[in-house]
Amino acid sequence: MSDTPLLSISDLAVDLGHGIRSTRVLHGVDLVVDRGRTIGIVGESGSGKSTLAKTIVGLHRVATGSVVFDGIELASAPRAVLGSVRRRVQYIPQDPFSSLDPRRTIGQTLAEAIDPRGASLRRHRARIVEALASVALGPDAVDRYPHEFSGGQRQRIAIARALVVDPDVIVADEITSALDVSTQAEILQLLGRLRDDHGLTMLFISHNLAVVEELCDEVVVLLHGRIVEQGPIEEVFADPRDDYTRRLLESVPGGAAFDISAPVVTAAVRTVAVGRKRPRRR
């Protein structure tokens, strides 16, 4: 395995909007993601989490700085190389329903992910069925439409669409925030299993620090578009250095499950530990 970090971000700045209405959303972000690691990115709404996620997968342009994937500087990469890289970095959105074409069956959507230029459901059906089976959906899902599925099932479909192209990196952007607690736990258990089975590198964006503590190896804390703290999960949670991180962790008495945006049942989200035992913060 190469010693080169799979993803390296240096002095990254991102502007949203156009002309005089543009706003700098990310400021001087530095981040190194090693292969096989799961990085949690946390912060309150408006901190820049989703902007960072979308910049990594190419949905936002870099204003200054660099994003290097597996040794390739994305801003200067030839289009053919960039297309190949983009397939290796897959994005799972917060709202899978809006990202699924209501006029296409699930099979057609996954076939297009496999081969955007010549999507053939007949040619790729076996591969699509296998991808759906990996997220606990049966072969009948291939010929059904997005509106026929529940929110949790649609999130599974979004995960299957990401996995069907055999990516190296998954960027999961608040993928459980719209789900009920029991469905959250199911999706997180699934994500943890798939990460381990496929050897995936993952960036996991979340409001929920309890989930981040269980699922992630490292954590990055964003505030107003800047990283204020980052490091191994055990170190940051046990001894936060930044006042903002400390306030986040101390917001719930007794170290209960913390969610910046909504309450979560601790017992449910902690079922995603997937065998990892970490010392609990006190």
Side-chain angles (χ1 to χ4, degrees), residues 27-56:
H27 309 261
V29 171
D30 294 313
L31 179 62
V32 173
V33 181
D34 291 322
R35 299 165 193 272
R37 304 288 282 176
T38 299
I39 312 298
I41 301 176
V42 303
E44 59 197 5
S45 296
S47 62
K49 303 187 305 298
S50 289
T51 299
L52 177 58
K54 291 177 180 179
T55 303
I56 290 169

Side-chain angles (χ1 to χ4, degrees), residues 75-151:
S76 59
R79 180 171 296 183
V81 174
L82 191 59
S84 174
V85 168
R86 293 303 182 204
R87 289 177 64 80
R88 297 174 61 191
V89 184
Q90 289 293 308
Y91 179 70
I92 305 175
Q94 178 178 353
D95 178 15
F97 188 67
S98 64
S99 69
L100 297 172
D101 189 335
R103 299 164 298 179
R104 289 178 173 267
T105 66
I106 302 309
Q108 289 170 330
T109 294
L110 268 65
E112 184 177 35
I114 295 170
D115 186 359
R117 294 184 177 180
S120 170
L121 177 55
R122 177 178 297 179
R123 184 185 314 144
H124 300 300
R125 180 176 285 269
R127 185 172 170 183
I128 291 166
V129 169
E130 181 181 6
L132 291 170
S134 73
V135 297
L137 290 173
D140 62 306
V142 173
D143 300 311
R144 296 165 63 189
Y145 290 86
H147 72 271
E148 299 180 64
F149 297 90
S150 68

Side-chain angles (χ1 to χ4, degrees), residues 22 133 162 165 170 190 204:
S22 68
V165 297
I170 292 287
L190 171 65
F204 186 81

